[in-house]
Amino acid sequence: MKILTLYFNLNGFLCTYFQTAAANGHDHVVRLLLMRGAALNKANSYGWTPLMHASRNGHANVVATLLQQRQADINAVTGLGASALTFAARGGHIQVVRQLVEAGIELTSSGGANECDFTPLLAAALYGHDAVLRFLLDRGCDVNFRTSTSGLTPLMVAALNGHMKTAQILVERGADPNVINADNRTALDIASMRMKREVAAYLERKTTNKPERGKYFIYMIVYYPCDFTGLYLISHLLGSIAELPIV
């Protein structure tokens, strides 16, 4: 018998019971609802599928259950271009990242309706999840990938948040510290502007592209709101379930 698609009102937006079960890691409920005909790939109004919900929260058992379903759309993306792999990378969930990659998910999935470049590698670099970062680099992700609008690289977003070890890994794996973004800033400039002194000191030794800089009156992301939704929303994107409407 096929069940009706039921919705749960959570913090002002609608989420199916199946999506809620996946988000909370209730594998037995997920299996039961699948047996009763729950919509495997149905997304909420922000584009989040059950697989994305489970991946974001690191529920490897639920991810495994969903990946066993041949009809699972593992390469689905939200309106902002985030895939299930992006969600897992953002949370540093290495086991889920491995599951998704082994299942054949696209490593550089990004785009969406707003053509923002929120790739899994950038998510790992931005949040300093080094195990995920190494794994993705080992699988061939471009260490010098640049976002299409503002030209941000993994090294730049690591510098943005002051992730010293992450910056070191990226440079050791071939990241070019002399690359500039659309605002003519290097990773060193970004680290200095954000007062991430340890990362700035490290990049000072690695960077040769050091033109004279005036005072940073305006933070560069103001001009390029598309990438990471301006990096203002990125602290919320893929965050707690209460903040889902932002995505």
Side-chain angles (χ1 to χ4, degrees):
M1 181 178 71
K2 205 166 186 175
I3 64 170
L4 295 174
T5 301
L6 300 175
Y7 290 90
F8 175 59
N9 192 317
L10 184 64
N11 297 310
F13 71 100
L14 296 179
C15 186
T16 68
Y17 286 116
F18 185 49
Q19 292 162 4
T20 303
N24 288 285
H26 299 313
D27 188 50
H28 60 293
V29 177
V30 168
R31 290 176 181 273
L32 175 62
L33 293 177
L34 281 172
M35 291 173 57
R36 296 299 180 88
L40 177 63
N41 296 310
K42 186 174 182 60
N44 64 18
S45 56
Y46 300 98
W48 294 43
T49 65
L51 182 60
M52 292 175 188
H53 283 290
S55 298
R56 178 198 59 181
N57 291 325
H59 297 310
N61 55 341
V62 174
V63 170
T65 296
L66 296 175
L67 291 177
Q68 289 171 2
Q69 312 303 312
R70 293 184 179 181
Q71 296 79 22
D73 184 3
I74 63 173
N75 289 312
V77 296
T78 68
L80 293 178
S83 69
L85 185 59
T86 312
F87 282 76
R90 179 262 178 268
H93 304 304
I94 185 63
Q95 182 179 351
V96 173
V97 168
R98 290 179 183 276
Q99 288 175 292
L100 293 170
V101 171
E102 289 171 2
I105 197 168
E106 294 180 10
L107 295 176
T108 57
S109 180
S110 67
N114 294 317
E115 299 183 354
C116 294
D117 297 319
F118 194 77
T119 66
L121 184 64
L122 285 166
L126 183 66
Y127 288 96
H129 296 309
D130 297 335
V132 173
L133 186 83
R134 288 192 180 95
F135 180 84
L136 294 175
L137 290 173
D138 287 344
R139 295 314 183 273
C141 287
D142 183 3
V143 72
N144 285 307
F145 172 83
R146 298 176 76 243
T147 58
S148 59
T149 304
S150 63
L152 291 170
T153 66
L155 183 58
M156 290 176 187
V157 298
L160 183 79
N161 278 345
H163 297 307
M164 178 63 180
K165 185 60 177 178
T166 305
Q168 289 177 318
I169 293 169
L170 289 166
V171 171
E172 289 167 1
R173 297 295 290 268
D176 184 357
N178 294 303
V179 171
I180 58 173
N181 63 14
D183 201 34
N184 200 35
R185 310 295 186 196
T186 64
L188 170 59
D189 294 326
I190 294 171
S192 300
M193 182 166 50
R194 291 274 292 173
M195 294 185 289
K196 305 300 181 181
R197 293 181 176 85
E198 185 182 19
V199 175
Y202 171 73
L203 292 175
E204 178 73 29
R205 301 191 298 271
K206 301 293 183 179
T207 306
T208 58
N209 182 15
K210 302 174 184 177
E212 290 295 322
R213 302 296 190 197
K215 292 183 178 179
Y216 300 114
F217 290 108
I218 302 176
Y219 187 49
M220 66 173 183
I221 304 302
V222 171
Y223 296 108
Y224 308 104
C226 179
D227 290 308
F228 306 121
T229 325
L231 286 181
Y232 165 72
L233 294 182
I234 196 56
S235 60
H236 303 292
L237 179 66
L238 318 179
S240 70
I241 201 164
E243 296 166 329
L244 286 179
I246 294 175
V247 180

